[in-house]
Coordinates of all heavy atoms in Angstrom, one line a residue:
P611 N 83.7 89.9 138.9 CA 83.7 89.3 140.2 C 83.9 90.3 141.3 O 84.7 91.2 141.1 CB 84.8 88.3 140.1 CG 85.7 88.8 139.0 CD 84.8 89.6 138.1
L612 N 83.3 90.1 142.5 CA 83.5 90.9 143.6 C 84.8 90.5 144.3 O 85.3 89.4 144.3 CB 82.4 90.8 144.6 CG 81.0 91.2 144.1 CD1 80.0 90.8 145.2 CD2 81.0 92.6 143.8
R613 N 85.5 91.6 144.9 CA 86.7 91.3 145.6 C 86.4 90.6 146.9 O 85.4 90.9 147.5 CB 87.4 92.6 146.0 CG 88.0 93.3 144.8 CD 89.0 94.4 145.2 NE 88.4 95.3 146.1 CZ 89.0 96.3 146.6 NH1 90.2 96.6 146.3 NH2 88.4 97.1 147.4
P614 N 87.2 89.6 147.3 CA 86.9 88.9 148.6 C 87.0 89.9 149.7 O 87.9 90.8 149.7 CB 87.9 87.8 148.6 CG 89.0 88.3 147.7 CD 88.4 89.2 146.7
T615 N 86.2 89.7 150.8 CA 86.3 90.6 151.9 C 87.0 89.9 153.0 O 87.0 88.6 153.2 CB 84.9 90.9 152.4 OG1 84.2 89.7 152.7 CG2 84.2 91.7 151.3
A616 N 87.8 90.6 153.8 CA 88.5 90.0 154.9 C 87.5 89.7 156.1 O 86.9 90.6 156.6 CB 89.6 91.0 155.4
T617 N 87.4 88.5 156.4 CA 86.4 88.2 157.5 C 87.0 87.8 158.7 O 86.4 87.9 159.8 CB 85.5 87.0 157.0 OG1 86.4 85.9 156.6 CG2 84.7 87.4 155.8
T618 N 88.2 87.3 158.7 CA 88.9 86.9 160.0 C 89.8 88.0 160.5 O 90.3 88.8 159.8 CB 89.7 85.6 159.8 OG1 90.8 85.9 158.9 CG2 88.8 84.5 159.3
Q620 N 92.8 87.6 161.6 CA 94.0 87.3 161.0 C 94.3 88.0 159.7 O 95.3 88.6 159.5 CB 94.2 85.8 160.9 CG 95.5 85.3 160.3 CD 95.6 83.8 160.2 OE1 94.6 83.1 160.4 NE2 96.7 83.3 159.8
V621 N 93.3 87.8 158.8 CA 93.4 88.4 157.5 C 93.5 89.9 157.6 O 94.3 90.6 156.9 CB 92.3 87.9 156.6 CG1 92.3 88.7 155.3 CG2 92.4 86.4 156.4
R622 N 92.6 90.5 158.4 CA 92.6 91.9 158.6 C 93.9 92.5 159.1 O 94.4 93.6 158.8 CB 91.4 92.4 159.4 CG 90.1 92.1 158.7 CD 88.9 92.4 159.5 NE 87.7 92.0 158.9 CZ 86.5 92.3 159.3 NH1 86.4 92.9 160.4 NH2 85.5 91.8 158.7
A623 N 94.5 91.8 160.1 CA 95.7 92.1 160.7 C 96.8 92.2 159.6 O 97.7 93.0 159.6 CB 96.1 91.3 161.9
H624 N 96.8 91.1 158.7 CA 97.8 91.0 157.7 C 97.6 92.2 156.7 O 98.6 92.7 156.1 CB 97.8 89.7 157.0 CG 98.6 88.7 157.8 ND1 100.0 88.7 157.9 CD2 98.2 87.6 158.5 CE1 100.4 87.7 158.7 NE2 99.3 87.0 159.1
V625 N 96.4 92.5 156.4 CA 96.1 93.6 155.4 C 96.6 94.9 156.0 O 97.3 95.7 155.2 CB 94.6 93.6 155.0 CG1 94.3 94.9 154.2 CG2 94.3 92.4 154.2
L626 N 96.4 95.1 157.3 CA 96.9 96.4 157.9 C 98.4 96.4 157.9 O 99.0 97.5 157.5 CB 96.4 96.4 159.4 CG 96.9 97.6 160.2 CD1 96.5 98.9 159.7 CD2 96.5 97.4 161.6
A627 N 99.0 95.3 158.2 CA 100.5 95.3 158.1 C 101.0 95.5 156.7 O 102.0 96.2 156.5 CB 101.0 94.0 158.7
D628 N 100.3 94.9 155.7 CA 100.7 95.1 154.3 C 100.6 96.6 153.9 O 101.4 97.2 153.1 CB 99.9 94.2 153.4 CG 100.3 92.7 153.5 OD1 101.4 92.5 154.1 OD2 99.5 91.9 153.1
I629 N 99.5 97.2 154.3 CA 99.3 98.7 154.0 C 100.4 99.5 154.5 O 101.1 100.4 153.9 CB 97.9 99.2 154.4 CG1 96.8 98.5 153.6 CG2 97.8 100.7 154.4 CD1 95.4 98.8 154.1
E632 N 103.7 99.0 152.6 CA 103.7 99.9 151.4 C 104.0 101.3 151.7 O 104.7 102.0 151.0 CB 102.4 99.7 150.7 CG 102.2 98.4 150.0 CD 100.8 98.3 149.3 OE1 100.4 99.3 148.7 OE2 100.2 97.3 149.4
H670 N 95.9 107.0 148.3 CA 95.3 105.7 148.0 C 95.6 104.7 149.3 O 94.6 103.9 149.5 CB 96.0 105.1 146.8 CG 95.5 105.7 145.6 ND1 95.0 105.0 144.5 CD2 95.4 107.0 145.2 CE1 94.6 105.8 143.5 NE2 94.8 107.0 143.9
L671 N 96.7 104.9 149.9 CA 96.9 104.0 151.1 C 95.9 104.4 152.3 O 95.4 103.6 152.9 CB 98.3 104.2 151.6 CG 99.4 103.5 150.8 CD1 100.8 104.0 151.3 CD2 99.2 102.1 150.8
L673 N 92.9 105.6 151.8 CA 91.6 105.1 151.4 C 91.5 103.6 151.6 O 90.5 103.2 152.1 CB 91.3 105.4 149.9 CG 91.1 106.9 149.5 CD1 90.9 107.0 148.0 CD2 90.0 107.4 150.2
R674 N 92.5 102.9 151.3 CA 92.5 101.4 151.6 C 92.4 101.1 153.1 O 91.7 100.2 153.5 CB 93.7 100.8 151.0 CG 93.7 100.6 149.5 CD 94.9 100.0 148.9 NE 95.4 98.8 149.6 CZ 96.6 98.4 149.7 NH1 97.6 99.2 149.1 NH2 97.0 97.4 150.3
L675 N 93.1 102.0 153.8 CA 93.1 101.8 155.3 C 91.7 102.1 155.9 O 91.2 101.4 156.7 CB 94.2 102.6 156.0 CG 94.3 102.5 157.4 CD1 94.7 101.1 157.9 CD2 95.3 103.5 158.0
A677 N 88.9 101.8 154.4 CA 87.9 100.8 153.9 C 88.1 99.6 154.7 O 87.2 98.7 154.6 CB 88.1 100.6 152.4
L678 N 89.2 99.4 155.4 CA 89.4 98.1 156.1 C 88.7 98.2 157.4 O 88.9 99.1 158.2 CB 91.0 98.0 156.3 CG 91.5 96.7 157.1 CD1 91.1 95.5 156.2 CD2 92.9 96.8 157.2
R679 N 87.9 97.2 157.7 CA 87.1 97.1 159.0 C 88.0 96.3 159.9 O 88.0 95.1 159.9 CB 85.8 96.5 158.7 CG 84.9 97.4 157.9 CD 83.6 96.6 157.5 NE 83.0 97.2 156.4 CZ 81.8 97.8 156.4 NH1 81.2 97.9 157.5 NH2 81.3 98.3 155.3
E754 N 96.4 82.3 156.5 CA 95.3 82.9 155.6 C 95.8 84.2 155.1 O 95.0 85.1 154.8 CB 94.1 83.1 156.4 CG 93.4 81.8 156.7 CD 92.1 82.1 157.4 OE1 91.3 83.0 156.9 OE2 91.7 81.5 158.4
R755 N 97.1 84.5 154.9 CA 97.5 85.7 154.5 C 97.0 86.0 153.1 O 97.1 85.2 152.2 CB 99.0 85.8 154.5 CG 99.5 87.2 154.1 CD 100.9 87.4 154.6 NE 101.2 88.8 154.3 CZ 102.5 89.2 154.3 NH1 103.4 88.4 154.5 NH2 102.7 90.5 154.0
P756 N 96.5 87.3 152.9 CA 95.9 87.6 151.6 C 97.0 87.7 150.5 O 98.1 88.1 150.9 CB 95.2 88.9 151.8 CG 95.9 89.5 152.9 CD 96.3 88.3 153.8
C757 N 96.7 87.4 149.3 CA 97.7 87.5 148.2 C 97.5 88.7 147.5 O 96.4 89.1 147.0 CB 97.6 86.3 147.3 SG 96.0 86.0 146.6
G758 N 98.5 89.6 147.3 CA 98.5 90.7 146.5 C 98.0 92.0 147.2 O 97.5 91.9 148.3
K759 N 98.2 93.1 146.6 CA 97.9 94.4 147.1 C 96.4 94.6 147.1 O 95.7 94.5 146.1 CB 98.6 95.5 146.3 CG 98.2 96.8 146.6 CD 99.1 97.7 145.7 CE 98.3 99.0 145.2 NZ 99.0 99.8 144.4
G760 N 95.9 94.8 148.4 CA 94.5 95.1 148.5 C 93.5 93.9 148.1 O 92.4 94.1 147.8
A761 N 94.1 92.7 148.3 CA 93.3 91.5 147.9 C 92.1 91.4 148.8 O 91.0 90.9 148.4 CB 94.1 90.3 147.8
A762 N 92.3 91.6 150.1 CA 91.2 91.4 151.0 C 91.0 92.6 151.9 O 92.0 93.1 152.5 CB 91.6 90.2 151.9
Q763 N 89.8 93.1 151.9 CA 89.5 94.3 152.7 C 88.2 94.1 153.2 O 87.4 94.4 153.8 CB 89.6 95.5 151.9 CG 91.0 95.8 151.4 CD 91.1 97.2 150.7 OE1 90.1 97.9 150.6 NE2 92.2 97.4 150.2

Side-chain angles (χ1 to χ4, degrees):
L612 297 174
R613 290 192 308 179
T615 58
T617 55
T618 66
Q620 177 184 5
V621 172
R622 292 177 187 187
H624 278 291
V625 171
L626 173 64
D628 289 344
I629 289 171
E632 289 179 40
H670 286 232
L671 288 171
L673 292 178
R674 285 178 48 208
L675 182 63
L678 183 63
R679 296 172 198 245
E754 290 185 43
R755 184 158 186 199
C757 56
K759 174 175 142 181
Q763 294 185 4

